[in-house]
Amino acid sequence: MDRETLVQRIRSGECAGAELGAVDLSGCDLSGADLSNTRLSCAKLSGCNLSGANLHHAFLDGANLEDADLSGANLEFAVLAAANLNRANLTGANLQRANLVGTRAHEARFDGAKLYYSRPGNGDFQGASFRDADIQRAIFRRANLANADLRGATGQANFDRANLEGAQQ
Amino acid sequence: MIVRHFLLDVNEVNAFVVGCPETKEAMLIDAGAYDDAVAQFLKEQGLTLKTVFITHDHYDHTDGLGEYVTHYSADVIASIPKVQGHKVAKQVKHGDTVRVGNLTGTVYETPGHTPEGVSLAFPGCVFTGDALFAGSVGGTASEADKQRQLDAIRKYIFTLPPETQVHVGHGPSSTVAIESRYNPFFV
């Protein structure tokens, strides 16, 4: 299937729950698409517009989401472990109960995002912004939050052995 | 293979429906509460719930069992003879297999969080109950129990193919590759 046809099928909601694997959709506009329960492990999604997309319980482990727009996306229960979220925009995203274990998210924006009960352990969030985010029960065990901006973040999170050097709280 | 996750209204616990697309037979994995969303999903997919598999005997994984058994006449599968007063139809031990239509799952002992804890692996996914979580493990009563749990996970879960999806009792799912590489309890 060519890339244009796949994008059309995704936008029409036909691919929710599908096994798409390591597809290359970098730079595509998938805003508002229903990709719930979809397997996108190691997919190339850099620069993708996924704002407002439904990625509930999607598998995005190892995916490249560098510079992607995930603002307002539903990522509840999504598996973003070991994904590349460098400079991604996750402003206002729903990341409740999301798996962010080993995720790289340098200078990513989580402002106003809901990270309740999420698992960002061993993740690399250098310079990321979590302003006004809900981090209640999030487990940042061994995460790198050097120079991260946590001002206005609310809730009790677990920062056991996390690197908070230079972080603003 | 059909796999669908449900967040139940008790203690943030997960439940999963596994379905065979060919025979339309289904299994529920853990039953912390009865949930209409499970019933609706079964109906929408045309699935018949044949069995309920219990990973371990904690209330947040078993309290809804009676209602599923009553509604669906489902058989209970567990590693102990009785759960919530319900006689287990098939008591399983390490290495046993269970069927969901044409699908075959293998039981692995993963004690530690509880003595009777088991995981259930199908090709492509494993259900670990409270033995293993994304980036964490289930709580244990002693250091010896913790070591048993970590050893069992290393021996039986981390040796599954790396792309195997790991579906857990609480919190998000993961993969074998991710947990064996990044879980702070193992690295």
Side-chain angles (χ1 to χ4, degrees):
Chain A
M1 189 188 312
D2 64 69
R3 182 173 146 122
E4 195 175 318
T5 306
L6 179 57
V7 169
Q8 283 174 1
R9 290 188 64 182
I10 290 171
R11 291 185 63 82
S12 67
E14 288 174 56
C15 293
E19 291 267 347
L20 298 181
V23 290
D24 184 355
L25 295 167
S26 47
C28 289
D29 181 4
L30 300 172
S31 54
D34 182 3
L35 286 161
S36 56
N37 296 295
T38 304
R39 186 141 196 178
L40 286 154
S41 302
C42 299
K44 297 174 182 69
L45 300 164
S46 58
C48 221
N49 182 0
L50 286 154
S51 59
N54 181 5
L55 290 150
H56 182 277
H57 210 272
F59 272 77
L60 290 149
D61 49 303
N64 184 358
L65 286 148
E66 200 168 44
D67 297 307
D69 184 356
L70 289 148
S71 57
N74 179 7
L75 290 151
E76 187 169 11
F77 279 107
V79 181
L80 288 153
N84 178 356
L85 285 166
N86 291 342
R87 294 180 305 280
N89 179 9
L90 294 112
T91 302
N94 177 4
L95 287 146
Q96 294 183 102
R97 307 172 184 89
N99 181 350
L100 294 151
V101 174
T103 300
R104 282 166 292 140
H106 294 194
E107 297 172 20
R109 288 169 54 199
F110 294 90
D111 301 336
K114 294 174 184 166
L115 287 137
Y116 170 80
Y117 209 49
S118 59
R119 306 297 175 110
N122 256 338
D124 191 347
F125 299 94
Q126 285 183 69
S129 178
F130 292 88
R131 292 194 72 157
D132 303 317
D134 172 11
I135 56 170
Q136 176 72 14
R137 297 184 71 185
I139 302 175
F140 284 95
R141 187 180 285 118
R142 289 196 194 172
N144 183 6
L145 288 153
N147 301 313
D149 187 349
L150 291 150
R151 287 176 293 177
T154 56
Q156 291 290 314
N158 179 342
F159 291 105
D160 178 35
R161 285 174 284 172
N163 177 13
L164 288 156
E165 193 177 343
Q168 299 180 78
Q169 295 180 75
Chain B
M1 179 176 175
I2 298 163
V3 178
R4 184 55 58 93
H5 160 260
F6 297 90
L7 175 63
L8 304 183
D9 194 20
V10 54
N11 202 22
E12 297 267 353
V13 77
N14 297 325
F16 296 88
V17 169
V18 172
C20 173
E22 292 157 8
T23 67
K24 295 290 184 181
E25 291 179 23
M27 167 187 279
L28 179 68
I29 298 179
D30 284 340
Y34 186 80
D35 193 321
D36 287 336
V38 174
Q40 189 180 337
F41 177 74
L42 292 168
K43 191 174 177 184
E44 282 171 3
Q45 297 290 316
L47 294 168
T48 302
L49 188 68
K50 293 280 193 183
T51 50
V52 181
F53 185 94
I54 300 296
T55 59
H56 66 291
D57 190 15
H58 274 174
Y59 80 97
D60 54 344
H61 295 257
T62 61
D63 265 8
L65 182 61
E67 285 177 89
Y68 290 107
V69 169
T70 303
H71 275 77
Y72 297 101
S73 300
D75 285 337
V76 182
I77 303 175
S79 61
I80 50 177
K82 267 191 173 182
V83 181
Q84 293 268 342
H86 294 276
K87 192 171 183 300
V88 166
K90 181 174 183 178
Q91 187 176 348
V92 290
K93 62 183 186 307
H94 181 78
D96 284 350
T97 57
V98 297
R99 300 284 301 225
V100 184
N102 295 331
L103 307 170
T104 302
T106 304
V107 176
Y108 294 101
E109 60 182 10
T110 46
H113 178 67
T114 62
E116 77 290 353
V118 287
S119 297
L120 179 61
F122 291 91
C125 64
V126 60
F127 300 87
T128 60
D130 287 0
L132 174 64
F133 299 137
S136 189
V137 293
T140 50
S142 69
E143 186 58 32
D145 285 343
K146 182 181 174 185
Q147 280 310 316
R148 283 178 76 199
Q149 182 162 282
L150 299 183
D151 289 347
I153 291 165
R154 282 194 190 95
K155 193 170 177 183
Y156 304 124
I157 308 301
F158 287 176
T159 51
L160 295 169
E163 68 277 13
T164 302
Q165 296 183 348
V166 179
H167 298 301
V168 303
H170 302 268
S173 298
S174 193
T175 68
V176 166
I178 294 299
E179 293 311 308
S180 58
R181 183 170 176 191
Y182 294 104
N183 189 311
F185 285 85
F186 297 94
V187 294

